[in-house]
């Protein structure tokens, strides 16, 4: 669309105005930004012949800082702050990289206890996870309190008192309800309750956090955070104890770098969201970089793992001893198999043809 001019001043086009209405730095515009920039980082890493985590680890601090947009953050994180954090992260970096290559980054499983699973299925999946060496488990809660009590009791009995249990309400409750509900589940000793209320309610999360501290339960959130500014405010308000970045919700690696650095400044552990569908493949790079170059700590830190849909990717994640092993193939690990893309291409792919045919019938 053409731009209109008035008195020599070029006014915004209708297209630019439309983009502002569905953004900025949130919603579909930001998701599209993440998709494009994730592809750019993939290409950059492939050009360098490195996985993205290694590309980041090998960058000097000033180059990393140049990748970050500090707009709206300088009351909390300046370029000088970021540079200081990254320079301090140089100490012991080689040893931490060797540690990651040998041991991997700690993971937790979400695959055992989705809402809707029968008790028998829950027990079967939990038993298999224990057999496979998992020590950290997350259970979905929030639909029915009595069901939650029963299911949490089953899992805690199976994994024992020493293994780690987390809970995830997926934005289910109002603030008072969240506090009341979690007071009933506190006996199962969860490390955190994830997304107890609306992801946009910063002060609500802060109120829940304050109420649950005496019960030893932390707040985890972030997978639905629109941008770095929301994370800034969550940190300022002491509204979380575990920060959950998402590799596709924020504006790619660039914006995630700023959040990792803010988390380090506030000394809040980062435990990324990775709900399958390629998210595990992406976010492993960010959290491995975070440990090697930023946080230098594994205390109360772990990365989510979901065990479905990895078969569609050329370079799926590798889990050993319940840990993410650093990928070695160049790129961002999300290149899909041509066969999978062809099957799912709209509207002529095999999968879509079957769905559309079923709708017609």
């Amino acid at each position: 669309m053409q731009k209109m001019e008035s008195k020599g001043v070029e006014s915004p086009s209708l297209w630019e105005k439309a983009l502002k209405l569905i953004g900025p730095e949130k919603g579909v515009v930001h998701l599209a930004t993440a998709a494009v920039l994730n592809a750019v980082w993939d290409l950059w890493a492939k050009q360098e012949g490195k996985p993205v985590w290694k590309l980041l680890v090998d960058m000097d601090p000033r180059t990393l800082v140049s990748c970050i947009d500090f707009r709206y953050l300088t009351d909390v994180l300046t370029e000088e702050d970021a540079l200081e954090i990254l320079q301090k992260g140089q100490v012991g970096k080689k040893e931490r990289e060797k540690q990651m290559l040998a041991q991997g980054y700690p993971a937790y499983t979400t695959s055992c206890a989705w809402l809707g699973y029968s008790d028998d299925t829950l027990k079967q999946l939990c038993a298999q996870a224990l057999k496979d060496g998992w020590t950290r488990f997350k259970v979905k809660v929030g639909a029915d309190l009595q069901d939650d009590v029963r299911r949490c009791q089953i899992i805690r009995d199976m994994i024992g008192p020493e293994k780690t249990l987390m809970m995830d309400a997926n934005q289910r409750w109002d603030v008072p309800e969240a506090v009341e509900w979690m007071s009933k589940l506190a006996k199962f000793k969860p490390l955190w309750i994830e997304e107890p209320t609306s992801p946009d309610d910063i002060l609500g999360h802060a109120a829940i956090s304050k109420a649950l501290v005496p019960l030893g339960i932390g707040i985890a959130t972030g997978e639905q955070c629109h941008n770095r500014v929301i994370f800034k405010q969550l940190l300022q308000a002491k509204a979380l104890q575990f920060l959950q970045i998402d590799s596709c919700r924020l504006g790619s690696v660039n914006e995630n770098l700023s959040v990792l650095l803010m988390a380090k400044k506030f000394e809040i552990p980062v435990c990324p969201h990775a709900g399958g569908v390629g998210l595990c493949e992406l976010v492993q790079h960010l959290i491995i970089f975070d440990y090697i170059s930023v946080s230098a700590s594994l205390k109360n830190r772990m990365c989510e793992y979901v065990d479905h849909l990895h078969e569609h990717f050329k370079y799926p994640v590798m889990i050993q001893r319940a840990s993410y092993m650093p990928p070695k193939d160049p790129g961002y690990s999300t290149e899909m198999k041509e066969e999978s893309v062809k099957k799912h291409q709209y509207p002529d792919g095999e999968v879509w043809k079957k769905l559309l045919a079923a709708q017609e019938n």
Side-chain angles (χ1 to χ4, degrees):
M1 295 182 181
Q2 293 184 341
K3 293 184 177 181
M4 299 175 291
E5 295 186 5
S6 175
K7 296 182 180 180
V9 178
E10 192 176 66
S11 62
S13 68
L14 293 176
W15 174 244
E16 289 171 328
K17 289 182 178 179
L19 285 176
K20 287 184 178 180
L21 287 173
I22 55 174
E25 297 196 61
K26 64 174 77 73
V28 66
V29 170
H30 217 46
L31 292 171
T33 299
V36 172
L37 289 179
N38 280 343
V40 170
W41 280 93
D42 180 60
L43 291 170
W44 185 0
K46 286 177 178 175
Q47 183 68 26
E48 296 293 328
K50 300 176 181 180
V52 163
W53 71 266
K54 180 62 172 169
L55 176 69
L56 292 168
V57 165
D58 288 349
M59 280 188 194
D60 67 88
R62 291 191 182 278
T63 302
L64 282 167
V65 169
S66 73
C67 295
I68 299 170
D69 181 1
F70 289 89
R71 190 173 35 172
Y72 312 133
L73 299 183
T74 54
D75 54 327
V76 163
L77 183 76
T78 64
E79 290 188 34
E80 291 74 21
D81 294 332
L83 188 60
E84 182 181 355
I85 291 169
L86 290 167
Q87 286 173 338
K88 288 181 178 178
Q90 298 295 300
V91 179
K93 189 170 79 169
K94 289 183 179 180
E95 290 74 18
R96 291 191 295 275
E97 182 174 343
K98 289 179 181 178
Q99 179 188 355
M100 285 291 99
L101 290 169
Q103 301 176 13
Y105 195 93
Y108 72 87
T109 178
T110 303
S111 301
C112 299
W114 296 95
L115 286 176
Y117 279 1
S118 68
D119 290 355
D120 287 342
T121 298
L122 190 154
K123 291 176 183 177
Q124 179 184 349
L125 293 174
C126 192
Q128 184 60 51
L130 287 166
K131 185 178 178 181
D132 293 338
W134 290 94
T135 60
R136 307 170 188 88
F137 300 79
K138 189 167 79 178
V139 56
K140 299 288 185 174
V141 298
D144 181 89
L145 180 57
Q146 295 309 311
D147 282 348
D148 287 349
V149 170
R150 187 187 71 256
R151 293 165 67 251
C152 289
Q153 187 69 64
I154 290 172
I155 294 177
R156 181 51 84 188
D157 287 346
M158 290 190 71
I159 69 176
E162 301 304 320
K163 293 184 174 62
T164 305
L165 180 66
M166 291 82 69
M167 299 178 184
D168 185 357
N170 287 113
Q171 314 157 31
R172 197 83 187 214
W173 304 311
D174 280 4
V175 172
E177 186 181 17
V179 174
E180 182 180 1
W181 203 296
M182 286 310 301
S183 68
K184 304 284 179 51
L185 299 181
K187 62 183 178 180
F188 301 110
K189 304 297 181 184
L191 178 65
W192 75 54
I193 176 62
E194 183 174 332
E195 287 196 313
T197 191
S198 165
D200 299 331
D201 191 353
I202 295 163
L203 297 182
H205 275 86
I208 297 168
S209 174
K210 185 177 181 179
L212 295 185
V213 164
L215 300 178
I217 303 173
I219 301 298
T221 193
E223 70 176 84
Q224 298 289 345
C225 281
H226 301 300
N227 52 50
R228 63 197 182 282
V229 178
I230 302 298
F231 276 112
K232 181 187 77 167
Q233 293 179 61
L234 285 165
L235 290 165
Q236 288 175 310
K238 300 180 180 179
L240 47 66
Q241 286 74 44
F242 302 91
L243 187 150
Q244 298 177 306
I245 58 170
D246 183 284
S247 50
C248 293
R249 177 71 61 178
L250 295 183
S252 188
V253 175
N254 308 72
E255 191 168 29
N256 270 299
L257 288 174
S258 69
V259 176
L260 293 176
L261 290 164
M262 285 192 291
K264 172 60 177 176
K265 186 170 180 180
F266 282 85
E267 293 298 335
I268 294 294
V270 177
C271 301
H273 170 249
V277 204
L279 294 177
C280 297
E281 278 72 16
L282 283 163
V283 84
Q284 62 179 334
H285 292 268
L286 300 178
I287 199 59
I288 290 169
F289 160 75
D290 178 63
Y291 173 64
I292 295 173
S293 297
V294 182
S295 73
S297 173
L298 293 177
K299 183 179 180 181
N300 280 335
R301 297 168 189 267
M302 63 199 89
C303 186
E304 184 175 25
Y305 175 72
V306 177
D307 63 358
H308 61 271
L309 301 175
H310 300 287
E311 66 273 13
H312 296 294
F313 294 88
K314 288 186 178 181
Y315 311 108
V317 294
M318 183 180 297
I319 298 291
Q320 293 180 5
R321 301 177 299 277
S323 297
Y324 279 90
M325 301 308 296
K328 297 180 180 180
D329 295 291
Y332 212 174
S333 303
T334 48
E335 186 174 349
M336 298 188 75
K337 295 178 180 177
E338 291 183 13
E339 181 182 358
S340 293
V341 173
K342 186 177 180 181
K343 281 184 177 180
H344 291 83
Q345 190 169 356
Y346 179 84
D348 298 321
E350 179 184 326
V351 172
W352 278 104
K353 281 184 176 180
K354 289 181 180 178
L355 288 171
L356 294 172
Q359 288 180 355
E360 290 177 0
N361 296 332

